[in-house]
Amino acid sequence: MSLPTSLQEFIATRSSVHLIALASVLTLVAFLILRSLATKRLDDTIPLYTPQGDYKKRWSYDNPHALREAYSQNRNSLFKIWTSQGHWLALPARYLDELKMQPDTKFPSALQSFFLGPYLWPVEKWKLDYVHKGLHKDLNKHLPSMFADARDGANTMTPVEFPECKDWTPIKVHPTVLRLVSKINTKLLIGNGLEKNKEWIDISASYTKNIFLSSAKLRVFHPVFRPVVQYFIPELRDVWRCNRRAKELLAPILAEKIKQERDQDYKKPVDSIEWIRDDASDPKDKNDSHLHAILQLILGALSVNTTSQLITNCIYNLATYPEYTIILRDEAKAALVEAGGEWTMDSMAKLEKTDSFIKETLRHAGHLTLTFQREAKTTLTLKDGTQIPAGSTVFFPTNAVNFDVTLYPSPERFEPLRFYNLRHTSPGNEKKFQLTSITAEQMQFGMGRHACPGRAIASHQVKLILAYLLDKYDFKLKEGQGRPKTVLFQTNQFPDPQGEILFRARR
Ligand code: HEM
């Protein structure tokens, strides 16, 4: 077969240097096309589910129902769905065991990328991992002393944040609980009196909202524009300001630690700054106040908002279903008497109905519609041959599973004792349906390598604060008003931040 004449002439009239350059360019183009086709083909084997109606709008403002619809059609298979950040892959439950312990080199948590971390936190990316590594290693080891702080915090700080309320008084629940949890968590995780510093508490309480809004606004722009656009986002500038101020507030605490360490009788305190210092693989990081400030703010963002949203939702539900106020109050009263008048970790385990009430609240209104968000760094081939292409963002549709009628009868109904009853259906069930239990049907705290390490202390905190409030107050909805709504935005479900409940000191 001969080349067409015009091509022969073209080749004959060119120097060999030109021809080599041309051949190289053509080879490169062919390689790029083939590579993109190969990636595309792999991705194309996964079916795309498009929710009915305006699916883009639904992703932002009707996310739980759009995902429930998608899940109901693809319960047992991997499927792709449009999201405002590109196509993401929804996993069926049967892949969780195989994927949950994959190493970070192949399948890390997607949270840093989701927040566009480099714009928010100007430190080397891998150093942000000190937070979860430190927490996984040390938090639950120190649970007893953390519990004592959580109990004292609930008893002494709750009456400061919640007013006396001699008569029925409207209270904006979310901001009140947010400040309370910020203070208690600062005491638990940092200590050193920082929980009394108003500026730190203000920073801690507003930080999550600001990082969330900053990354949401940045994502609106194509990546090439973000390096410029970042300077025009007020919330992002506020994040940078908080990073700077947090550094100034933490520096004296670090300096004091360094000074005290020289003392032979020094006993290392139990706090998350120490956990991170112990784990810092780069010695420079041990006392770097800029890095510590960012890590503590991230830890606050992971722990404060999640816990305060859950407590807020529980209070909304107590006001909506007042008959449970009496049931939970009686349970707490009996457990506290049995414990001799002071809560212990063992006595917390007696609050089975309270545990169930909180878990049912989380089933209905967890802060995220999806969990187990991971990034595939390489193509992962599963045992059944299914491939998860490199570069994919993967998630588990937790909220949709929470509303699966085959798993939860009458899933739309709020049944506060649902999990209490499940625990008592057979002896083996006792540990399976606790607030902190993790199975493919209960994924509110994620699963595997990156499952929430704070869930035990969060569970104690929520119970301690609810027990305090149940003992001191009655609650009810405002006249003629229903339960404050849940605000939906993309994969987030927020309890109405303006929602008010009537509180009255018990008579
Ligand atoms: C009701 C309260 C909470 C809820 C619902 C919650 C939920 C979650 C979820 C869904 C994840 C991601 C899990 C995954 O991807 O598999 C997570 C991660 C995390 N949570 Fe929580 N959390 C709560 C409270 C806390 C508290 C109180 C702390 C700290 C004291 C904490 C520390 C963390 C950390 C450090 C991570 C990252 C873990 C990692 O990437 O390895 N959380 N949490």
Side-chain angles (χ1 to χ4, degrees):
M1 208 167 83
S2 62
L3 289 168
T5 324
S6 53
L7 188 53
Q8 283 176 3
E9 277 167 14
F10 175 82
I11 291 172
T13 54
R14 292 294 181 279
S15 73
S16 56
V17 175
H18 280 129
L19 288 175
I20 290 169
L22 183 65
S24 309
V25 170
L26 288 175
T27 312
L28 183 67
V29 170
F31 169 75
L32 290 174
I33 292 173
L34 282 175
R35 202 181 64 164
S36 82
L37 283 178
T39 316
K40 216 170 161 218
R41 228 177 287 132
L42 194 53
D43 192 43
D44 281 351
T45 58
I46 301 164
L48 172 71
Y49 183 82
T50 307
Q52 292 178 356
D54 185 342
Y55 61 92
K56 293 188 178 175
K57 202 165 164 194
R58 288 191 71 195
W59 179 261
S60 285
Y61 302 109
D62 187 29
N63 190 287
H65 302 103
L67 277 174
R68 279 178 220 171
E69 180 195 314
Y71 166 79
S72 69
Q73 309 284 318
N74 302 275
R75 207 176 248 102
N76 298 312
S77 53
L78 186 68
F79 70 92
K80 214 162 45 183
I81 189 159
W82 182 93
T83 82
S84 48
Q85 278 102 261
H87 286 157
W88 286 359
L89 307 189
L91 289 171
R94 68 197 152 96
Y95 292 147
L96 285 174
D97 269 347
E98 215 177 322
L99 288 170
K100 67 184 181 191
M101 293 311 283
Q102 289 285 340
D104 283 355
T105 44
K106 291 186 180 168
F107 204 52
S109 163
L111 286 180
Q112 273 186 37
S113 311
F114 177 78
F115 280 113
L116 300 174
Y119 291 99
L120 281 76
W121 304 303
V123 294
E124 285 167 79
K125 200 169 169 234
W126 66 270
K127 293 189 177 175
L128 299 179
D129 291 345
Y130 284 145
V131 177
H132 71 80
K133 288 193 174 145
L135 272 268
H136 280 294
K137 190 163 144 276
D138 287 309
L139 177 60
N140 290 317
K141 212 158 67 189
H142 295 293
L143 205 53
S145 70
M146 309 279 288
F147 176 81
D149 276 346
R151 177 189 58 208
D152 299 345
N155 288 339
T156 57
M157 296 179 194
T158 317
V160 177
E161 296 305 320
F162 281 84
E164 216 177 306
C165 305
K166 288 209 175 83
D167 217 333
W168 286 111
T169 311
I171 293 187
K172 231 178 230 180
V173 179
H174 186 252
T176 312
V177 173
L178 184 62
R179 286 192 66 76
L180 174 61
V181 176
S182 295
K183 285 185 179 178
I184 298 179
N185 277 16
T186 302
K187 184 168 159 44
L188 288 183
L189 295 167
I190 310 178
N192 296 284
L194 203 59
E195 68 278 6
K196 297 192 189 103
N197 184 310
K198 184 180 173 309
E199 191 182 2
W200 178 273
I201 298 305
D202 287 343
I203 290 175
S204 155
S206 65
Y207 199 71
T208 314
K209 191 173 115 214
N210 281 332
I211 61 173
F212 174 80
L213 288 172
S214 303
S215 51
K217 289 189 177 180
L218 273 171
R219 276 195 301 268
V220 171
F221 296 92
H222 189 277
V224 291
F225 298 118
R226 288 175 192 160
V228 175
V229 163
Q230 60 175 330
Y231 298 105
F232 299 95
I233 298 178
E235 292 82 2
L236 186 51
R237 291 207 302 270
D238 208 45
V239 169
W240 298 335
R241 183 191 61 80
C242 290
N243 293 346
R244 280 195 304 273
R245 270 309 283 152
K247 176 187 170 183
E248 287 158 12
L249 294 171
L250 275 189
I253 292 176
L254 272 168
E256 186 60 24
K257 280 178 181 292
I258 297 163
K259 195 172 124 203
Q260 288 183 5
E261 267 172 353
R262 293 192 202 114
D263 186 343
Q264 278 196 332
D265 300 329
Y266 175 69
K267 201 164 160 283
K268 197 162 32 167
V270 174
D271 65 52
S272 60
I273 298 182
E274 293 298 350
W275 305 338
I276 290 168
R277 291 177 87 213
D278 285 347
D279 269 12
S281 47
D282 182 342
K284 283 200 305 293
D285 298 339
K286 201 168 143 96
N287 298 320
D288 177 346
S289 51
H290 169 65
L291 178 63
H292 276 286
I294 287 178
L295 299 179
Q296 285 303 331
L297 290 173
I298 293 178
L299 178 53
L302 285 164
S303 60
V304 173
N305 248 55
T306 45
T307 309
S308 52
Q309 288 187 16
L310 180 54
I311 296 173
T312 303
N313 275 319
C314 285
I315 295 173
Y316 289 170
N317 285 340
L318 282 172
T320 312
Y321 304 94
E323 60 279 24
Y324 288 95
T325 303
I326 299 157
I327 295 172
L328 303 196
R329 185 178 285 148
D330 286 351
E331 182 183 64
K333 198 171 158 197
L336 192 57
V337 168
E338 204 185 317
E342 185 169 73
W343 289 114
T344 59
M345 278 180 22
D346 286 345
S347 57
M348 288 277 107
K350 304 271 162 63
L351 300 179
E352 293 185 0
K353 291 176 184 163
T354 311
D355 191 274
S356 175
F357 183 94
I358 302 167
K359 193 172 173 78
E360 179 72 346
T361 300
L362 197 56
R363 183 181 74 82
H364 266 254
H367 72 293
L368 292 170
T369 55
L370 47 88
T371 59
F372 198 77
Q373 259 180 282
R374 304 284 183 267
E375 278 177 304
K377 292 283 179 200
T378 54
T379 296
L380 297 163
T381 305
L382 303 177
K383 282 186 195 136
D384 68 0
T386 300
Q387 289 192 306
I388 297 183
S392 324
T393 298
V394 175
F395 69 89
F396 187 72
T398 300
N399 174 276
V401 172
N402 287 348
F403 283 81
D404 182 339
V405 70
T406 65
L407 301 170
Y408 296 103
S410 310
E412 302 288 340
R413 215 172 46 221
F414 181 72
E415 274 184 28
L417 298 186
R418 184 188 291 273
F419 294 101
Y420 173 84
N421 293 333
L422 279 169
R423 274 169 82 158
H424 292 282
T425 46
S426 76
N429 278 359
E430 176 50 32
K431 290 217 156 51
K432 280 192 199 150
F433 298 101
Q434 296 181 11
L435 172 59
T436 52
S437 309
I438 291 182
T439 63
E441 292 84 42
Q442 311 169 75
M443 287 283 291
Q444 286 301 150
F445 290 103
M447 183 186 263
R449 191 178 290 280
H450 292 285
C452 177
R455 61 191 188 278
I457 191 68
S459 158
H460 291 319
Q461 263 184 293
V462 178
K463 285 176 196 154
L464 287 164
I465 293 172
L466 287 184
Y468 182 94
L469 294 173
L470 283 161
D471 183 41
K472 304 287 183 222
Y473 297 99
D474 284 318
F475 326 92
K476 67 176 182 179
L477 294 175
K478 287 170 92 177
E479 204 59 44
Q481 291 190 12
R483 184 195 187 282
K485 61 184 183 304
T486 297
V487 180
L488 304 178
F489 183 65
Q490 295 182 351
T491 57
N492 300 273
Q493 305 194 98
F494 307 99
D496 183 353
Q498 305 298 326
E500 288 188 337
I501 294 293
L502 297 177
F503 280 65
R504 188 182 65 184
R506 282 180 67 205
R507 295 179 171 165

